Amino acid sequence: MGLDERVGNHARERFARHVLTAAQESGLAQVWYDAAQFAIAYQRVAGERPAWLDLERPFLDFGDTTGAARQRRVLQLVVSMVNAPAPPEGWREVGARLRPVVQSASIALTAPVDGPTMLTRPALPYLSQYVVIDMPSGPLYVTREQVAGWGVDEADVFAQAWANLAETTPVHMALTPTARRPLRFIGADDPYFAARLLLPGRLAALAGWVSGRPVAFLPDRSTVILSPDNPDSLGRIFEVAATEFAEANWPLSPQGYTLDDNGSILPYVAPVGHPVAVRVRGAAALLSATEYATQARLLAARPDLIGPDAVLGAVNVVHTQDQSVRTVTSWSGDSRELLPTAEYLLVRAPGEDEVVIVPWRVATEALDLVPLDGLKPPRFRVRSQPTDETWSRLRPLELDSKPAYVPRHGDRGGA
């Protein structure tokens, strides 16, 4: 574990103890901290079913707040626990309060072990849609168990949430850019800001601020950076978005997004042969590596999902000799390893120093990979050791342009 990671873990524990102490002094019947889940459970009345407060989101949300300002926000958080009104229970009452949010696909793993399961479905690569109940104390994530109790289909819940958001989002967005460059729009107090851009016609409506097809960046949940589809100038915007994504308290994506011919949002694709393609691939690689690193950190506290001895592989961002950007993951031959998806798989021949790097598609065909149920993004277990025949199939298909950096055996580094 590196110094940065140790410091980060200490900061998380200090934050949890701070919230726990304030909650214990608030008059709640019982409060306890689950370090593995990074969550606090509490009972307002002794004997009632415990409610859970996931600390991941408030920890990221509070950012670098310190001293009296942090104390005030922690107390506000605890007051919201004590005094939060019960959410509506029936579909008729709850329907108008539903809203969609767009966040990391891994956020669903923050649910406590044996707790309810968040309602989620894909939005964009590595990003998912969630549904929340818009309450005065803050959004409450909808679970699949709640939907079953409402007696409606999950698709109906998503449809109602998006319809509610559309009613409060003018087609022309009514946004005013900040004075900061590149051109950007900020929704600091709007938890649904990123989701609004995914509503039909909203990104197209922002085209009036640029010339030509718009390209939007969502480095965090409250920021939209806007650029025209000009490959010659987009390289700088990709660089800015990557920096802001890496520094964000609540990062979303370093990728650019634009519109297809049907008006649907999709990741930006660079013109064939244009130098900006390196930036585009780099953004996709950074998002993949970051998301898998987040997933690995959360899965470490979920042996119920991956088993007690699982080894979580990482996605490495590498530069090949021809200056291309690629994602590579490695397999050491350990059957406990859970492999993420990458463009290439590095495999070391058993008992040899030979390293074979093959396209992921080839690896999935040659190796006996089994996906774990329910993980987004997916992870795979190698069910059996490669045979001599497998090695003979892999060697001729090796990547021609070797990465300038090749992960060492057992390396778990990210981007």
Side-chain angles (χ1 to χ4, degrees), residues 81-104:
M81 293 165 54
V82 176
N83 299 324
E89 294 187 0
W91 174 246
R92 184 183 299 275
E93 296 79 21
V94 79
R97 289 184 173 270
L98 299 178
R99 302 289 188 274
V101 292
V102 177
Q103 291 182 346
S104 159

Side-chain angles (χ1 to χ4, degrees), residues 25 35 57 91 98 102-103 137 153 158 181 192 222 241 245 253 288 303 323 360 366 374-375 396 413:
E25 296 173 351
R57 288 181 285 272
W91 174 246
L98 299 178
V102 177
Q103 291 182 346
S137 56
D153 294 334
F158 279 105
R181 296 297 175 182
Y192 316 116
S222 303
F245 169 77
S253 170
S288 174
Q323 303 305 308
W360 180 261
L375 284 187

Side-chain angles (χ1 to χ4, degrees), residues 22 29 32 43 55 90 98 126 134 182 202 234 238-239 246 259 289 307 336-337 348 357 362 373 379 407 409 411:
W32 65 97
Q43 295 173 322
L55 295 177
L98 299 178
Y126 298 103
D134 189 47
R202 271 49 174 198
L234 271 173
F238 270 97
E239 185 176 358
L259 301 168
R336 300 172 302 166
E337 287 187 84
R348 292 183 181 273
I357 304 176
V362 172
D373 291 337
R379 283 185 182 267
H409 175 73
D411 192 345

